[in-house]
Amino acid sequence: MLLQEFSVLEKQPTLLSSQLFYRNSVADLTLNRVMLFWKRVDMSRRHARSFLCVSKDAKNTFLLLNDIIVARETEEGGQKNKQGGKKEKVPLHSYGFTVSYADRTKHHRWRCKALMFHCKDKSQCQQWVQTINDQLSLLCSRPKRLLVYINPYSGKRLGKRIYEQRVAPLFAQASISTDVIVTKHANHARDHLETEADVEQYDGVVCVGGDGMFSEIIHSLLYRTQRVSGVDHHQYDQDLVPCDLRVGIIPAGSTDCICYATTGTNDPVTSALHIVLGDSQPIDVSSVHHNNTFLRYSTSLLGYGFYGDMLMDSERKRWMGPARYDLSGVKMFLNHHYYKGTVSFLPAEGNLEFPKDKMGCRSPCHICKTSVNRLSLSGDQVCEMAKEKSDREMSDDGAWHVIRGTFLAINAVCISCACPRSPGGLSPSAHLADGTMDLILVHRASRLDFLRHLIRHTNKDDQFNLSFVEVHRVRQFRFAPEQSDVTSEAELSECSRKIGTAQVGSAPTGPGTSHSSWSCDGEILPQAAIQVSVHCQLVKLFARGIEWGSSSTHSHCL
Ligand SMILES: Nc1ncnc2c1ncn2[C@@H]1O[C@H](COP(=O)(O)OP(=O)(O)OP(=O)(O)O)[C@@H](O)[C@H]1O
Ligand SMILES: CCCCCCCCCCCCC/C=C/[C@@H](O)[C@H](CO)NC(C)=O
Ligand SMILES: [Ca+2]
């Protein structure tokens, strides 16, 4: 924070101010509506001198109220600090209080830290604790009650331990009450949330697991929201109603790309702190239809060809944990299958950036801020947008682009899909909440070229700057696989066995057949012919997007 900004915030009306002890020195501590700040007093001078003006180490002189978790009275004789440090000496007074706060550390990770102040008597100490906590209770975006689902089999099967050891203590510290359900089978969370849970009593739902668990949660929340609002999600062109309840993700899965792309890391403590502080980040969701039947929602990767085949192969290796993706990835790379089909898409119009621009989505993102959710618009604005939409569709073939080709991969992402394996993600400059998705078409190419493309996901080179790769920012797309005349009964029954849901008459999909299958956030879709439409800001997360800079940026440093 700049000194000028600090000076503005400092001038807010004072709520409480006293002289007390901080780090064995006398300090003037002040609380106003936006921050807690302190100035060390130089006792050797007649007039108190501001620590801010004289110290070379001007760190830790203020905390924004938004970053404070809680204030508590400290036990007599000092308290071990949270990082396992030494007991702080209590020099003159045995009464003290601790202020816990969220501190930004390297690589977008946050940690819970604590500051200790010592008071002259117990009543002063109590007054400080009470006043700080009263102010915190006015921050109404902070959750008080959460419903938590833990998938004990996600990723390396550490979900339960991660929650109990690293997350639950933070929730307890912030006085958040929780109902915790450890799932017993796939879709347990989805069914419970949809039919049994009394969602009205919660301020949010937390899933401990990976992208698949997040997908379960948002499916039930979105089903419920559309049902309550009388919206039929089977209608492809229907505007969907956004879900009010926020979702928190404690990463414990194999990919964790929703968490990584919305917080900048896959760190459980960071996610827990975003939840505790009540952050809110909307994200786009796409709906996938086959004819006029709704299939699924997607927030991360909708992938046909390479990723679809890889996902289908990796499902049989789930017991291997995250390594299953590496093995299946290598296998599919060596198989080098390509698939014929026709992709049609409606490009995103308006004042938008493009996927090849180097500007990513960084918080606070002006692109996402100005991309409004339809339901937050006035009646006139809705009419205007509806007219634009119908004009666009009337001029139909002019607006829709059609590409017939042979593809190694077709990927559609609403967000960057950054994850530990690919820190930039499948589309590094995709926006979290701009109402568009990036459609990446990887045309037939040699193995070596495809390898170059894949490797560029893992480094800073541009994976789109290759002649066989094209990328478009779109609002809708359709895919039709080329009809195969080699479909045999054996292929059909193999397909039904693999996905369990194949309809009689649908073409077989997957490696070794003429059609691939779509992986939709880790689930295999039963049909290859799909229509996809993006819905702007349909779901909200306890996150704040990726902030500028990856190194330590203490909010309390001047
Ligand atoms: N108790 C359970 N037993 C078996 N499967 C479960 C259980 N609970 C949830 N699932 C299913 O497990 C699937 C995968 O879980 P999850 O996404 O948490 O982990 P992952 O696949 O390791 O991670 P990622 O999706 O990030 O790659 C989910 O789609 C979910 O439906
Ligand atoms: C030879 C090196 C190749 C490295 C290629 C790395 C590319 C990794 C990109 C992964 C993006 C993952 C997007 C997220 C998808 C999830 O929905 C899904 C289910 O969890 N996970 C996967 C792996 O499909
Ligand atoms: Ca988007």
Side-chain angles (χ1 to χ4, degrees), residues 28 39-42 44-45 47-54:
D28 282 327
K39 297 173 182 184
R40 197 179 291 170
V41 176
D42 185 343
S44 64
R45 296 247 176 146
H47 298 291
R49 190 160 60 140
S50 164
F51 174 58
L52 284 171
C53 306
V54 294

Side-chain angles (χ1 to χ4, degrees), residues 272-339:
L273 289 170
H274 283 295
I275 296 171
V276 164
L277 298 184
D279 282 342
S280 185
Q281 171 66 53
I283 59 166
D284 298 333
V285 177
S286 62
S287 59
V288 187
H289 286 74
H290 171 75
N291 294 333
N292 255 335
T293 307
F294 169 85
L295 297 181
R296 284 191 78 82
Y297 293 113
S298 169
T299 44
S300 56
L301 168 65
L302 194 52
Y304 186 83
F306 179 72
Y307 284 106
D309 293 351
M310 181 188 87
L311 203 280
M312 191 182 257
D313 189 73
S314 70
E315 278 302 287
R316 290 187 283 261
K317 304 182 174 67
R318 208 161 243 292
W319 57 271
M320 290 178 72
R324 70 191 186 277
Y325 290 135
D326 297 326
L327 197 66
S328 297
V330 171
K331 189 171 157 192
M332 291 312 130
F333 169 74
L334 293 174
N335 276 357
H336 200 62
H337 275 293
Y338 27 82
Y339 301 93

